[in-house]
Amino acid sequence: MGFPKDFVWGTATASFQIEGAWDEDGKSPSIWDEYCEQPGKILDGSDGRTACDHYHRFREDIALMAEHGIKHYRFSVSWPRILPDGTGKVNEAGVAFYNQLIDCMIEHGIRPWMTIYHWDLPACLQRRGGWMNEQMPEWFAEYTGVLADRFGDRVKDYFTINEPQCIIGLGYSMGVHAPGLKLGVRDQVIACHNLLKSHGRACQVLREKVKDVRIGYAPCCGPAIPEDENKPEDVEAARKAFFSAIDDPCFMLTWMSDPVILGSYPEDGLKLFGKYLPEGWQKDMSVICQKLDFYTQNVYRGAVYRAADNENGWEKVPLPQGYSRTAIGWEITPRALYWGPKFLWERYKVPFMISENGMSCHDTVMLDGKVHDPNRIDYTHRYLKELRRASENGVNIQGYFYWSFMDNFEWSYGYTERFGLVYVDYATGKRIPKDSLSWYAETIRTNGENL
């Protein structure tokens, strides 16, 4: 028992969070470059102009991965580095960077897993409406086509879009991520629909252009956890809570996944939001719903539910006072990696992976010059034990990507949160492997038998 023998153990990063070189070699500004310029948007007033300087230090970073037995690396591509105008002329210097990065991975025995879009939209496309523009699916298809043509001979595994909920929910609804908009529900629904259609078009392009391609989709969720696993009524209550409609289309799990996998919006969601969908949206389902080789979720925390005698049949259970949290304030709920994959596998029946999971800690370089992070080791150990339990109980789980390989620019938190297995001294760029990296290396070596 345990994890499958061919289980994918990896780490993940995102281009804007680590690359830096924000205006080098023909790259144009992204929405995050411009968002960071606005006072008060980033907690520590920082930006991604240098970040981890991965653009110049990628060989060092890839070598460090290989040294610790990491065989799978999920990275993302910066759209404005490849197409500075969003469409049209290709920036050959940008292509050259990713060619070098991919070749370096392969030279070190690391399999590249490419995320096509991890939030850094070219700012020039945002000025044309961004995800609100009905042309976005074709812009996205063109961009995907360039990646397929230039890298598809070596990259066979793709995630189309990372955390669509956050792209629209945080960026277009709450206004706390780039581009910082606060749109009404009608516009949110349209933006979500354009995003889902973009995912579908990307799948079509990849299938057409890349031989032996494998395609996934990387939304995020906070799984519902039954209070008492031995009570069928609590398990059913958690399942209902997980998949039920909520008053926010951006963060409604089924609104962002049912069309992709099942080919339809959920009925309870249509009752709330169907009136906002663009005319003729039904015909778009044949574009949105494309075959996936794997379905993934970014999972950090969940919430507990139990059966209740009310209209829903369930209620959320408050966590005890003083409940354990990470440095960023997120609740530590290891069972999320059992019940999330279990419920999602039962609903969608697509091979499943965890595309992100990890912990922000108050890391520091100790007097001995090392970074000791026992809390991160314990967190990851607990979560992976639950993921293994799901695998042993029949869930088709194929992989796990730890977030993140290195400390980085954590979006609106700037450099105040550290999720990495590698400590980054932002003043000098020095990399210091944390104890958790050695622990994770042993987990990979034993295929989780050390858990």
Side-chain angles (χ1 to χ4, degrees):
M1 299 294 285
F3 293 108
K5 291 183 179 179
D6 57 353
F7 193 77
V8 171
W9 294 99
T11 58
T13 65
S15 52
F16 187 81
Q17 293 181 270
I18 66 169
E19 284 181 3
W22 75 288
D23 63 349
E24 288 187 38
D25 298 331
K27 178 187 172 295
S28 68
S30 75
I31 54 174
W32 273 94
D33 287 310
E34 296 194 349
Y35 187 72
C36 291
E37 294 174 350
Q38 301 178 43
K41 296 298 185 181
I42 309 302
L43 183 60
D44 58 1
S46 63
D47 55 49
R49 294 190 173 193
T50 301
C52 305
D53 198 26
H54 179 71
Y55 188 80
H56 300 108
R57 304 181 65 148
F58 70 89
R59 296 186 189 280
E60 172 187 356
D61 296 330
I62 298 302
L64 193 55
M65 288 182 199
E67 181 184 336
H68 288 83
I70 294 170
K71 301 294 185 183
H72 302 270
Y73 175 37
R74 178 184 172 221
F75 69 106
S76 79
V77 175
S78 168
W79 189 340
R81 200 179 293 286
I82 297 293
L83 292 168
D85 297 323
T87 62
K89 185 178 180 181
V90 174
N91 178 30
E92 297 299 338
V95 170
F97 166 70
Y98 290 109
N99 270 327
Q100 293 175 61
L101 175 62
I102 292 164
D103 289 345
C104 185
M105 287 184 228
I106 294 171
E107 289 165 8
H108 284 84
I110 297 173
R111 180 170 164 182
W113 296 67
M114 179 182 287
T115 302
I116 293 172
Y117 184 78
H118 199 135
W119 303 2
D120 41 0
L121 183 73
C124 56
L125 291 187
Q126 182 57 44
R127 279 187 271 280
R128 297 170 66 181
W131 296 102
M132 283 295 299
N133 193 315
E134 63 181 9
Q135 295 182 64
M136 177 58 91
E138 293 312 309
W139 295 341
F140 199 75
E142 179 183 342
Y143 165 52
T144 301
V146 174
L147 303 188
D149 288 339
R150 301 306 184 93
F151 312 123
D153 58 329
R154 288 152 294 153
V155 180
K156 302 299 179 180
D157 301 280
Y158 295 84
F159 301 85
T160 56
I161 297 173
N162 181 80
E163 293 190 351
Q165 295 92 335
C166 296
I167 293 167
I168 309 301
L170 301 183
Y172 281 64
S173 172
M174 298 171 65
V176 296
H177 275 192
L181 305 179
K182 296 182 179 181
L183 304 179
V185 174
R186 180 184 300 277
D187 287 340
Q188 293 172 38
V189 169
I190 291 172
C192 286
H193 188 73
N194 288 337
L195 184 149
L196 292 171
K197 194 174 177 182
S198 297
H199 157 82
R201 288 290 292 119
C203 291
Q204 290 175 331
V205 170
L206 290 170
R207 295 278 179 216
E208 175 190 344
K209 289 177 172 287
V210 180
K211 183 180 179 181
D212 300 324
V213 71
R214 285 165 36 89
I215 306 172
Y217 172 62
C220 58
C221 70
I225 304 165
E227 182 180 44
D228 188 339
E229 297 185 5
N230 297 312
K231 290 184 177 180
E233 60 269 30
D234 279 4
V235 173
E236 185 58 28
R239 181 185 286 106
K240 287 181 178 178
F242 196 30
F243 296 125
S244 290
I246 59 175
D247 60 4
D248 184 340
C250 306
F251 289 100
M252 179 179 165
L253 187 148
T254 53
W255 191 259
M256 301 302 280
S257 284
D258 274 19
V260 168
I261 301 173
L262 303 180
S264 62
Y265 282 110
E267 288 299 322
D268 54 358
L270 285 172
K271 291 177 182 177
L272 293 174
F273 312 120
K275 60 187 175 183
Y276 302 126
L277 285 165
E279 184 177 353
W281 61 268
Q282 294 89 343
K283 69 179 184 301
D284 293 333
M285 286 297 132
S286 62
V287 174
I288 293 171
C289 184
Q290 301 292 319
K291 177 184 179 294
L292 291 182
D293 298 285
F294 50 92
Y295 171 67
T296 77
Q297 288 278 350
N298 297 353
V299 178
Y300 293 89
R301 54 180 171 169
V304 179
Y305 293 84
R306 64 187 169 211
D309 185 17
N310 56 30
E311 182 181 356
N312 293 323
W314 51 265
E315 65 182 7
K316 188 174 181 180
V317 181
L319 295 173
Q321 190 171 11
Y323 191 86
S324 296
R325 297 174 182 269
T326 67
I328 204 172
W330 297 349
E331 304 87 354
I332 298 175
T333 56
R335 288 195 297 152
L337 251 60
Y338 176 80
W339 289 101
K342 177 177 171 60
F343 287 149
L344 291 164
W345 167 247
E346 290 172 351
R347 184 178 184 90
Y348 296 129
K349 296 296 184 184
V350 177
F352 187 79
M353 293 189 186
I354 294 294
S355 40
E356 285 184 22
N357 170 252
M359 181 185 187
S360 172
C361 292
H362 294 298
D363 297 318
T364 188
V365 181
M366 302 293 188
L367 288 173
D368 62 1
K370 299 178 180 179
V371 179
H372 306 295
D373 55 342
N375 283 17
R376 180 174 289 107
I377 293 173
D378 184 76
Y379 171 102
T380 312
H381 192 162
R382 290 173 185 268
Y383 274 72
L384 283 174
K385 284 183 71 173
E386 293 294 331
L387 189 65
R388 184 177 68 181
R389 181 162 74 105
S391 178
E392 292 172 342
N393 280 275
V395 180
N396 185 356
I397 298 174
Q398 297 188 344
Y400 170 91
F401 291 86
Y402 181 86
W403 182 271
S404 168
F405 176 66
M406 66 179 79
D407 296 335
N408 54 45
F409 178 83
E410 189 51 44
W411 307 114
S412 60
Y413 291 94
Y415 298 100
T416 65
E417 301 292 340
R418 293 181 179 271
F419 280 85
L421 297 170
V422 176
Y423 183 94
V424 177
D425 182 327
Y426 296 113
T428 65
K430 183 179 179 181
R431 277 78 161 135
I432 304 175
K434 303 175 188 179
D435 289 353
S436 56
L437 179 58
S438 296
W439 180 88
Y440 190 50
E442 180 64 10
T443 303
I444 294 171
R445 189 189 69 79
T446 65
N447 197 35
E449 291 300 317
N450 64 325
L451 298 173

